[in-house]
Amino acid sequence: MKYTYKFKIDVPTFRKALYFNAFARNRAQLGFVAAAWAGAAVLAGLDLFGRLELTNVVQICYIVVLLSMPLLIFSCERGWREYRDSGLQERERSVSVSEDWVKFCISGDANSDKVEWHNISAIFELFDEFVIYRDADQMVVLPKSVISNEDMLVLRSLFIRKLGRSYKLRASVPEGACIKA
């Protein structure tokens, strides 16, 4: 059985996926980054108000950590603006899912990518979409709005069966939605 979904990715959806990718994809990483940034802010405050005398090396370290968060945000903002200005949001996309592979296609492109399940690194189910990682750096967004309720159960079951622990649920799912591996 093959399931094919055609859709467009609007700018807000793309922006949400970029921020998810940068900040929420790995929960442990997010916790570490937030704790490091908060610690650096405390050190900067203590240093600036004379409560603590820090070496130049520690000062450089907390400055670098403090700059990391605005740089990550800037990167996400730049990415979605480039997407918005490129016109890519107007191009129709399709995702086909079968028992053996997932196929990705963007209208106007000569080639489509057929990826076998063992080459999919992860799928995250968010409230409004699935974020499919073809590898660590390439993600594809599949909006749930194009998937029927019946297909949703089948797809979720297929994702769990094919990916196991690489399928990650990051949204509440209606009761009886078949999320056991």
Side-chain angles (χ1 to χ4, degrees):
M1 188 60 101
K2 180 174 97 169
Y3 300 89
T4 300
Y5 306 98
K6 294 184 181 289
F7 54 91
K8 293 180 181 180
I9 300 295
D10 61 14
V11 175
T13 300
F14 185 79
R15 184 181 194 197
K16 181 180 170 185
L18 280 177
Y19 274 92
F20 171 80
N21 188 50
F23 293 104
R25 182 170 141 192
N26 186 329
R27 288 181 178 163
Q29 176 181 311
L30 175 62
F32 175 77
V33 169
W37 199 81
V42 168
L43 285 176
L46 292 172
D47 189 27
L48 290 173
F49 295 112
R51 302 274 186 219
L52 191 61
E53 192 170 319
L54 300 173
T55 66
N56 290 342
V57 171
V58 173
Q59 288 174 334
I60 290 170
C61 288
Y62 78 66
I63 289 169
V64 168
V65 171
L66 286 175
L67 290 175
S68 67
M69 193 66 68
L71 288 173
L72 282 170
I73 292 169
F74 174 78
S75 174
C76 289
E77 291 295 306
R78 184 181 53 94
W80 80 261
R81 283 188 177 106
E82 285 176 0
Y83 180 77
R84 177 194 67 196
D85 297 340
S86 71
L88 285 172
Q89 71 273 14
E90 298 302 321
R91 293 174 66 189
E92 187 173 71
R93 298 156 193 278
S94 70
V95 172
S96 297
V97 179
S98 84
E99 190 67 35
D100 300 318
W101 46 259
V102 180
K103 185 176 177 181
F104 308 100
C105 186
I106 298 176
S107 67
D109 286 356
N111 296 326
S112 60
D113 295 327
K114 189 183 264 186
V115 180
E116 293 181 8
W117 282 107
H118 67 274
N119 291 325
I120 300 287
S121 65
I123 294 179
F124 288 85
E125 182 176 350
L126 307 181
F127 182 73
D128 292 330
E129 65 253 349
F130 290 99
V131 181
I132 303 168
Y133 286 93
R134 296 163 52 173
D135 57 41
D137 297 322
Q138 241 182 349
M139 67 179 178
V140 175
V141 177
L142 174 59
K144 287 183 175 180
S145 60
V146 300
I147 304 170
S148 70
N149 289 336
E150 297 81 28
D151 284 2
M152 188 69 71
L153 296 174
V154 173
L155 285 178
R156 194 175 282 131
S157 177
L158 180 64
F159 293 163
I160 291 168
R161 193 171 69 253
K162 292 297 185 177
L163 296 174
R165 292 177 26 179
S166 293
Y167 166 79
K168 303 189 188 304
L169 180 65
R170 296 286 177 87
S172 61
V173 175
E175 195 168 314
C178 182
I179 59 170
K180 293 184 181 177

